[in-house]
Amino acid sequence: MRYVDGFVIAVPTANRQAFIDHATKADAVFLEYGALRVTECWGDDVPRGTTTDFYMAVKAEADESVVFSWIEWPDKATRDAAMPKVMADPRLMAGDNPMPFDGRRMIYGSFTPVLDLGET
């Protein structure tokens, strides 16, 4: 069964292209180590809530946009085997591919799908 890593980050809106460039390099590493697909989504219609919302979750500032991303793996075993290799890959090191956002405010988690309708 597929396995998914999900991420939400706040990216300075002025860094949109820098983020795309960073993600293009970084996402290729995940694919090389077995990910099936990596999707990066720039916030377009992200409502602000009164109790909670994506902006509050990542402490986004007025000049930042919310990015929602996920990595699809064929299964948890592939993901678990790949992640140490991905994290050690020099192409992801800050000197080679610095993050154009504050990684300390990233929220992330790993998920087992329980329902998957539509395209496969």
Side-chain angles (χ1 to χ4, degrees):
M1 172 175 271
R2 290 200 179 174
Y3 198 68
V4 177
D5 288 320
F7 309 86
V8 180
I9 57 175
V11 179
T13 302
N15 287 356
R16 181 180 170 134
Q17 188 58 52
F19 170 77
I20 292 168
D21 295 344
H22 167 82
T24 299
K25 290 178 186 176
D27 295 352
V29 175
F30 288 98
L31 293 168
E32 183 178 314
Y33 288 111
L36 299 173
R37 179 168 78 168
V38 183
T39 303
E40 308 283 358
C41 304
W42 193 266
D44 178 53
D45 184 10
V46 183
R48 294 195 181 265
T50 54
T51 304
T52 189
D53 63 25
F54 281 104
Y55 296 98
M56 285 185 254
V58 294
K59 298 183 179 179
E61 298 176 8
D63 63 341
E64 293 179 319
S65 296
V66 172
V67 173
F68 175 61
S69 307
W70 66 92
I71 303 169
E72 290 182 41
W73 300 93
D75 50 47
K76 186 177 187 312
T78 301
R79 183 262 189 198
D80 288 350
M83 286 309 269
K85 296 172 191 170
V86 168
M87 292 299 123
D89 193 295
R91 294 171 291 177
L92 293 183
M93 299 302 136
D96 188 47
N97 192 17
M99 293 188 297
F101 56 89
D102 181 358
R104 297 171 298 177
R105 292 185 283 141
M106 177 185 341
I107 60 171
Y108 58 91
S110 301
F111 304 86
T112 300
V114 296
L115 181 64
D116 188 359
L117 303 174
E119 263 186 59
T120 56

